[in-house]
Amino acid sequence: MKILSDGNSKIRYSGKAQIIKGRTLIDEKPINNNVVGAKNFLLTNEILPMDKITEGGEYKIRLILNYKDENGKTKNLIKESTVNVIKTKQTNI
């Protein structure tokens, strides 16, 4: 993910990533806390666990980031992406 601070203050964020199928939460993972400097950006990678995905199909990846605005109020930033998972079973020959 790419996080951009275009103001004069640094951004301290935390959050979580969720894997959702339909309306069911499959798994949730905390996002590593980090800081983005003023007028700068941060590129970061997070690994989502796939072990609880037991079948193929359409899933949503929801990212929820928490940060404090210039007035000290906690704000949530929510982004979603849809992915298709194709799982095949291994066979022994």
Side-chain angles (χ1 to χ4, degrees):
M1 63 184 163
K2 180 179 181 179
I3 301 171
L4 173 69
S5 172
D6 57 1
N8 293 325
S9 300
K10 61 185 169 193
I11 299 171
R12 295 179 194 272
Y13 71 88
S14 61
K16 60 187 172 184
Q18 299 175 329
I19 301 173
I20 302 165
K21 181 162 183 162
R23 293 181 180 236
T24 305
L25 178 65
I26 304 297
D27 202 3
E28 185 173 88
K29 176 194 179 295
I31 297 293
N32 295 328
N33 300 345
N34 222 323
V35 177
V36 182
K39 297 188 181 192
N40 209 341
F41 67 92
L42 174 72
L43 291 174
T44 182
N45 292 319
E46 297 281 339
I47 297 175
L48 294 176
M50 300 289 289
D51 55 333
K52 293 187 181 175
I53 296 178
T54 59
E55 59 185 41
E58 188 173 279
Y59 290 82
K60 283 186 184 177
I61 306 298
R62 178 180 294 153
L63 182 65
I64 304 169
L65 294 180
N66 308 307
Y67 66 96
K68 292 196 181 216
D69 69 5
E70 64 274 2
N71 299 318
K73 288 185 169 183
T74 300
K75 299 286 186 173
N76 293 323
L77 177 65
I78 302 171
K79 295 290 182 179
E80 287 186 356
S81 182
T82 303
V83 295
N84 285 314
V85 175
I86 301 171
K87 288 200 89 151
T88 58
K89 293 184 180 181
Q90 292 182 339
T91 57
N92 295 329
I93 298 177

